[in-house]
Amino acid sequence: MRKGTLYVFTGPSGAGKGTLLSRLQEQDDRLFYSISATTRAPRPGETDGVQYYFLSKAEFEEKIAQHAFLEYACYVENYYGTLEAPVNEKLEQGFDVVLEIEVQGAMQVHEKRPDAVMVFIAPPSFEELAARLRGRGTEDEEKVLKRLETAKEELKQQERFDYVIVNDELDRAVEELRNILAKRRT
Ligand code: ADP
Ligand code: 5GP
C-alpha cells in the first residue's frame, strides 16, 4: 500500500489554520489531523485527547527525555509537541497526515522529514491578524500581545515554505489547499 504524505501547516496564531483545517477535513476521509501535546491550560470547551493531549510540564519533559516527539517547541511560555508514533502509524496505513504547528516546530520537521509538504498560512495583513486574534477571544490582552510579537518573527519565515496561502477569503483559501492535496494524490 502507498504511504501517506506528511503536511505541515504553519503560520501565526490567528491566521486561520484551525478554521481552514476543519473545513478541509469535512470532506476528506483520507486526511488525519495529528493531535498535539501541550502544557497550556485547556480553553473552555476543549477536551483532553480531542484538541490536544493536555500534559503537565513534568509529563511533557518526560516525553522529551523518551524521544517521543517528532518535534516540539516552546511557544509563548508553553510547550507544544507532535508525538511521533501515531504520525508514523497513520502514514504507514496510507493516510495523509497534517500537523498544525508553529514555525520553530515546522522547521524541525522540515529537517527530519525532507519529504514533508510545507504550507504557510498567512493573514491578509498584520492588522487583520490582530483583529482575528482579539476577535477569537481565547487569550487575554497580555497573551495576545505576546502572540503578535511572535507573529512578527514568524511572518519573516514564510519564503522558506513550499506554499504560502493567504487566508483572506476563506472559500478560496480552502480551495487552494484542496488543490495542493489533490496534486500529491495523482
Ligand atoms: P489559528 O488556528 O491560525 O490560530 P483560527 O482558525 O482560530 O486561527 O482563526 C482565528 C480567528 O479568525 C477565528 O475567530 C476565525 O473564525 C477567524 N477567521 C479564520 N479565517 C478567517 C477568514 N478567512 N476571514 C475572517 N475570519 C477568519
Ligand atoms: P494554541 O495555544 O492557539 O492552541 O496554539 C498556539 C500555537 O502552537 C499555534 O501556532 C499552533 O499551531 C501551535 N502548535 C499546536 N500544536 C503544536 C505542536 O505540536 N508543535 C508545535 N511546534 N506547535 C504547535
Side-chain angles (χ1 to χ4, degrees):
M1 193 209 287
R2 201 167 91 167
K3 269 184 72 170
T5 304
L6 181 60
Y7 292 89
V8 176
F9 284 15
T10 197
S13 178
K17 302 181 295 296
T19 306
L20 287 168
L21 242 177
S22 58
R23 282 285 298 274
L24 258 191
Q25 265 192 310
E26 274 168 20
Q27 294 170 22
D28 194 332
D29 54 14
R30 282 171 62 185
L31 199 58
F32 174 79
Y33 169 72
S34 161
I35 302 171
S36 296
T38 184
T39 59
R40 88 148 160 74
R43 294 172 183 149
E46 286 185 333
T47 309
D48 187 43
V50 179
Q51 288 81 13
Y52 283 104
Y53 298 108
F54 294 100
L55 304 183
S56 67
K57 189 161 176 262
E59 286 169 333
F60 199 102
E61 287 177 344
E62 197 181 318
K63 293 206 181 289
I64 296 174
Q66 292 165 348
H67 305 286
F69 290 114
L70 170 60
E71 62 73 35
Y72 72 92
C74 198
Y75 173 88
V76 189
E77 297 159 12
N78 279 296
Y79 282 127
Y80 293 80
T82 305
L83 294 162
E84 187 157 25
V87 170
N88 289 344
E89 189 185 319
K90 288 291 172 184
L91 289 172
E92 290 293 338
Q93 290 169 1
F95 287 94
D96 292 334
V97 176
V98 184
L99 313 182
E100 191 253 276
I101 62 180
E102 55 69 71
V103 176
Q104 305 166 72
M107 296 326 299
Q108 292 172 36
V109 177
H110 182 56
E111 290 294 314
K112 276 195 179 169
R113 306 279 179 106
D115 290 352
V117 179
M118 308 294 295
V119 181
F120 190 97
I121 310 292
S125 67
F126 192 79
E127 291 66 34
E128 175 66 14
L129 180 72
R132 285 185 191 171
L133 205 45
R134 291 197 172 97
R136 194 171 69 186
T138 47
E139 274 75 32
D140 61 26
E141 185 58 18
E142 186 203 338
K143 286 275 162 62
V144 165
L145 290 174
K146 284 186 179 159
R147 284 179 179 234
L148 289 175
E149 210 44 55
T150 306
K152 283 185 192 156
E153 293 309 309
E154 293 178 323
L155 287 165
K156 290 181 192 160
Q157 311 280 326
Q158 51 185 295
E159 65 269 24
R160 300 173 73 181
F161 287 76
D162 298 323
Y163 300 95
V164 177
I165 308 285
V166 179
N167 180 23
D168 42 13
E169 214 263 294
L170 193 62
D171 287 338
R172 203 216 68 257
V174 172
E175 203 46 44
E176 280 187 40
L177 286 172
R178 282 217 180 92
N179 290 339
I180 292 169
L181 265 77
K183 211 154 77 181
R184 306 274 156 168
R185 286 172 175 174
T186 50

